[in-house]
């Protein structure tokens, strides 16, 4: 059984058809890519998977279970986590708090623990903190743990967001342009982090990318989206050579082909 | 040379003061109260004040400004000097005691500290009825400010219904205590022996809190079902509806108000409830569940994507805040022993918002400071009467411009690290030094 399966997904924003007849099969442990020009509907696919929008048509199965129309926090708790194209960090919160709050669904001490500070809460909070630090160390930002995120360099913020996404204990990790706006050095570090996270935690990763280099290095299979439709699917080499893909990108996103 | 020496002396004093544990300051406070009992009245007469300044002299600020220097002198002689010198002198003793308590159990230590503080506060207030009343109202103000801060600060919504929740709590608990223990022409003889009253009073207050929560539910369901900023409008409407409902409810006196509440809200009772409120809310906002409030405020979409049940978080918090507003309302009714719907209107709302936004958003410490500061300030402004309501909004606008999150924003406290002994580590053998969490 595949981990994540999407069947004939279509989504309209009013009159605009952002996604049309989209299909996906994601196997456990796989790293997949989703590329396509700006406005192709890539982020919308992520928003549909994570329950931000309810699809006009089609269904989404996670571990064989239909999650179409489920509320986002429940989908996340089942094991689908994500990062955002524009990060969406919580601006008044510290790095550590980000990674703690993302463990929300794993809290069992309940309101009694929250209001009265029971022994169970103390124990659980210690565990949450320990796990938060180990994730922060994994992505290399532990020394900023007590800083408010707003003041941190861009590359660090990206990694904090990655640690936050990991804290929900995902089986599928959706990364929306994880290297957007990074210089070549930061880019290389981010690729290393993604690979390391995948090796250590072994979840499936589905990533949206703009730069072919990242896709080439990380992905086994790549889909290309254009005007909401998949126009090519295959290994990065196959996709890159596909005339339809070149056509779609022609004159717009030179870097993708480069 | 002399300058150098003065500097050295000052530095020495500062480092000595840094070694004073909280217990030392509390002992100083108790000492100052004793000094006031012994020499307060004659000293005040000698300084030309006539009588002991009741609220640190703030009440004189606009009433008789010429007396302010004398009041300041009184403050220094009766409060600052005794507090400072006793804190300094008892420093080794206080540190040893704090250490013993901590080894015994952090909980015991916290309880002892709160008790010593209460002894100081109570004896200070007992000198005068006006002080007792102001202390009670200030404690209630802190409860109200903190609970409103949960919604407007921690959760980043804008709720206007707090006076309505207060009113629900006030009337519910008043009706319960009057019907059960006092009786009236309207309600007939009391149902229960009045000896039981003080024991069942907490239940009446809790019932008031629960009714306020129930009222909050009617605001929360339409407001939080969808994303968007409906809360401000709906909660404002709620507050006005509650007020006019009570005005038209003849059975509780309508616009004339409701009186005859038994005299059970003594200083001790109010203090215990205020401590419970602050402790519970502080505990909540420091937990990861409580931090989810901030995530909802700073980015609801991201919070949901990170497994936070945002709707539940908002509901629970709103009802919890309403509960404490209801309890505070119930206490208020029994402190004043009279309530009328006019007291739960826009002016009350403005006061509460001022306390929250002046004190500091997202802050337990700020809420306490806002409640206390605002009460002192409004007592100082009392002689100005209606002008008070020009000065306070202007002040609020200034704070919004120059310090939009308020004076002490983003600050909770860790009681256990507050009551730790202080000073050189060698003197604290047996107590592992753990840095404060916040
Ligand atoms: N919430 C929305 N409401 C209306 N239109 C939207 C919304 N989100 C995205 N769109 C539109 O859908 C199309 C696909 O957008 P998106 O998925 O963000 O593209 P990509 O991530 O591939 O750049 C664009 O034309 C965009 O303007
Ligand atoms: Mg996008």
């Amino acid at each position: 059984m595949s981990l994540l399966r999407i069947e004939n997904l279509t989504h309209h924003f009013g009159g605009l058809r952002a996604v049309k007849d989209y299909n996906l099969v994601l196997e456990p442990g796989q790293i997949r890519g989703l590329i396509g020009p700006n406005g192709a509907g890539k982020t919308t696919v992520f928003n549909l998977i994570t329950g931000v929008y309810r699809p006009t048509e089609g269904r989404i199965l996670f571990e064989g279970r239909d999650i179409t129309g489920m509320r986002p926090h429940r989908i996340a708790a089942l094991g689908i986590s994500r990062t955002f194209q524009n990060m969406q960090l919580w601006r008044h919160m510290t790095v550590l708090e980000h990674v703690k709050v993302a463990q929300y669904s794993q809290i069992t001490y309940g309101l009694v623990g929250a209001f009265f500070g029971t022994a169970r809460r103390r124990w659980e909070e210690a565990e949450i903190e320990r796990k938060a630090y180990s994730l922060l160390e994994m992505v290399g930002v532990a020394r900023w743990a007590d800083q408010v995120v707003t003041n941190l360099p861009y590359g660090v913020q990206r990694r904090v967001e990655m640690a936050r996404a990991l804290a929900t204990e995902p089986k599928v990790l959706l990364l929306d342009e994880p290297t957007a706006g990074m210089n070549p050095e930061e880019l290389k570090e981010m690729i290393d982090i993604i690979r390391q996270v995948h090796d250590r935690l072994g979840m499936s990763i589905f990533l949206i990318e703009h730069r072919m280099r990242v896709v080439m290095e990380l992905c086994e299979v790549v889909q290309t989206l254009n005007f909401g439709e998949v126009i090519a699917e295959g290994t990065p080499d196959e996709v890159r050579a596909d005339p339809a893909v070149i056509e779609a990108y022609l004159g717009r996103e030179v870097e993708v082909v480069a | 040379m002399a300058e150098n020496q003065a500097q050295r002396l000052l530095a020495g004093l500062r480092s000595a003061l840094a070694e004073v544990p909280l217990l030392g300051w509390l002992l100083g406070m108790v000492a100052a109260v004793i000094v006031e009992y012994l020499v307060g009245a004659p000293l005040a007469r000698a300084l030309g004040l006539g009588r002991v300044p009741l609220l640190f002299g703030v009440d004189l600020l606009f009433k008789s400004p010429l007396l302010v220097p004398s009041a300041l002198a009184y403050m220094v002689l009766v409060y600052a000097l005794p507090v400072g010198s006793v804190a300094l002198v008892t420093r080794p003793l206080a540190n040893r005691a704090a250490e013993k308590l901590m080894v015994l159990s952090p909980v015991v230590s916290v309880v002892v500290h709160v008790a010593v503080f209460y002894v100081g506060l109570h004896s200070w207030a007992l000198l005068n009825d006006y002080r007792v009343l102001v202390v009670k109202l200030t404690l209630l103000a802190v409860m109200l400010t903190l609970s409103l801060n949960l919604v407007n600060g921690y959760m980043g919504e804008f709720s206007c219904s707090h006076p309505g929740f207060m009113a629900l709590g006030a009337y519910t608990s008043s009706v319960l205590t009057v019907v059960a223990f006092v009786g009236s022409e309207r309600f007939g003889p009391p149902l229960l022996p009045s000896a039981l009253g003080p024991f069942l009073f907490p239940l009446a207050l809790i019932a008031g809190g629960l009714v306020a929560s129930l009222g909050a539910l009617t605001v929360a369901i339409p407001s939080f079902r969808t994303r968007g900023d409906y809360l401000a409008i709906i909660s404002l409407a709620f507050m006005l509806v509650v007020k006019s409902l009570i005005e038209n409810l003849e059975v509780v006196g309508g616009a004339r108000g409701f009186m005859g509440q038994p005299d059970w809200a003594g200083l001790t009772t109010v203090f215990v409830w205020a401590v419970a409120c602050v402790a519970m809310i502080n505990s909540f906002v420091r937990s990861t569940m409580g931090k989810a409030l901030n995530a909802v405020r700073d980015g609801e979409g991201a919070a949901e994507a990170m497994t936070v049940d945002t709707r539940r978080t908002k509901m629970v918090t709103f009802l919890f805040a309403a509960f404490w507003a209801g309890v505070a309302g119930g206490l208020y009714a029994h402190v004043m022993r009279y309530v009328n719907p006019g007291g739960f209107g826009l002016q009350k709302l403005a006061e509460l918002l001022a306390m929250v936004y002046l004190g500091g958003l997202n802050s337990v410490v700020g809420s306490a400071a806002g409640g206390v500061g605002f009460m002192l300030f409004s007592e100082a402004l009392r002689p100005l009467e209606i002008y008070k309501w020009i000065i306070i909004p202007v002040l609020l606008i200034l704070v919004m411009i120059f310090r939009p999150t308020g004076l002490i924003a983003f600050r909770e406290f860790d009681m256990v690290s507050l009551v730790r002994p202080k000073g050189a580590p060698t003197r604290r053998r047996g107590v592992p030094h753990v840095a404060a969490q916040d």
Side-chain angles (χ1 to χ4, degrees), chain A residues 37-44 85 176-177 208 210:
Chain A
N38 262 328
K42 306 180 297 294
T43 300
T44 304
Q85 190 170 350
D176 197 344
E177 305 201 17
I208 293 175
H210 247 72

Side-chain angles (χ1 to χ4, degrees), chain A residues 71-73 76-77 82 88 90-93 97 100-102 104-105 109-111 114-117 121 125 164, chain B residues 280 283-284 287-289 291-292 294-295 297-299 302-309 311-313 316 320 410:
Chain A
R71 287 173 60 203
H73 71 95
R82 71 177 294 181
Q88 302 197 16
W90 297 309
R91 66 197 178 106
H92 296 293
M93 293 170 64
E97 285 168 355
K100 282 179 162 184
V101 167
Y104 184 90
S105 68
Y109 56 71
L111 287 174
F115 292 156
F116 299 103
R121 156 168 163 191
E125 288 284 353
R164 177 177 75 170
Chain B
M280 235 166 120
S283 164
F284 178 52
S287 74
T288 299
M289 260 177 129
K291 295 282 180 212
N294 298 345
R297 174 195 63 203
D298 289 349
E304 281 176 347
M306 295 302 121
T307 75
V308 175
D309 187 344
R311 205 183 299 168
R312 174 171 176 266
T313 300
V316 164
F320 183 52
F410 301 102

Side-chain angles (χ1 to χ4, degrees), chain B residues 92-424:
Chain B
L93 184 85
N95 265 319
R96 233 173 301 136
E99 186 180 318
K100 284 243 167 65
L101 284 169
M102 192 58 107
V103 171
L104 196 64
S105 139
V107 178
V108 171
S109 178
V110 169
V111 170
V112 168
H113 278 79
V114 173
V116 174
F117 173 69
Y118 180 70
V119 167
L121 184 70
H122 193 130
S123 347
W124 178 79
L126 272 189
L127 199 70
N128 184 287
D129 282 347
Y130 169 68
R131 271 191 189 172
V132 174
L133 182 62
V134 170
V135 169
K136 284 182 191 172
L137 292 181
T138 303
L139 290 167
L140 295 180
V142 171
M143 291 172 77
L144 290 163
T145 308
L146 185 52
S147 58
L148 184 56
N149 209 338
L150 269 181
V151 179
N152 288 30
Y154 285 90
M155 202 161 79
E157 300 274 345
F158 196 89
S159 167
C160 303
S161 43
H162 244 52
F165 299 148
M166 273 183 83
L168 289 179
Y171 275 87
T172 304
S173 61
S174 297
V175 167
L176 284 175
T177 54
V178 170
V179 168
F181 302 105
V182 180
S184 68
E185 271 176 43
R186 187 130 219 163
F187 298 119
L191 301 173
L192 294 170
S194 60
L196 283 178
F199 301 101
L200 294 182
F201 181 46
L203 291 184
L205 291 174
I206 289 172
L210 292 178
V211 169
S213 290
L214 207 65
L217 198 62
T218 67
V219 177
I221 288 174
S223 305
F224 298 144
R225 208 178 45 193
T226 50
R227 261 192 238 174
D229 301 321
Y230 302 113
L231 181 65
I233 289 295
I234 296 178
S235 62
L236 186 63
F238 174 84
M239 182 200 85
L240 298 171
V241 167
V242 168
K243 184 165 168 273
S244 56
L245 267 181
I246 296 172
E247 275 165 359
N248 291 298
L249 209 61
E250 269 312 309
V251 81
V252 289
R256 275 169 291 117
F258 185 67
M259 64 172 95
Q261 288 89 339
D263 187 13
W264 290 332
L267 190 50
T268 316
T269 307
V270 176
F271 182 80
V272 168
W273 280 100
V275 167
C277 170
V278 172
M280 235 166 120
I281 293 180
N282 192 54
S283 164
F284 178 52
V285 296
R286 281 164 52 88
S287 74
T288 299
M289 260 177 129
K291 295 282 180 212
L293 291 181
N294 298 345
V296 168
R297 174 195 63 203
D298 289 349
E300 199 167 340
E304 281 176 347
M306 295 302 121
T307 75
V308 175
D309 187 344
T310 56
R311 205 183 299 168
R312 174 171 176 266
T313 300
K314 288 182 185 179
M315 287 274 196
V316 164
T317 308
F318 196 65
L319 266 59
F320 183 52
F323 173 83
W324 281 112
V327 170
L331 285 165
Y332 176 77
H334 288 81
V335 167
M336 306 309 290
R337 304 182 66 192
Y338 166 71
V339 279
N340 72 327
F344 303 109
L346 283 171
Q347 182 170 328
K348 178 59 81 185
L349 176 65
E351 275 176 32
L352 294 177
L353 289 174
M355 289 190 247
V356 171
Y357 288 88
L358 289 176
L361 289 176
N362 198 101
S363 173
V364 175
V365 178
S367 298
V372 174
F374 185 88
M375 285 302 289
L376 287 179
F377 193 62
S378 68
E379 284 309 304
L381 294 182
R382 190 182 285 280
L384 301 185
E385 290 169 23
I386 193 72
Y387 292 105
K388 181 176 146 182
W389 288 105
I390 297 170
I391 294 174
I392 287 171
V394 167
L395 196 76
L396 198 55
I397 290 168
L398 288 178
V399 170
M400 292 286 200
I401 292 172
F402 293 108
R403 226 184 142 93
T405 50
L407 296 179
I408 315 175
F410 301 102
R411 191 108 71 215
E412 286 89 51
F413 59 87
D414 179 8
M415 205 55 210
V416 173
S417 65
L418 270 185
V419 301
R420 277 208 177 85
K422 290 196 178 146

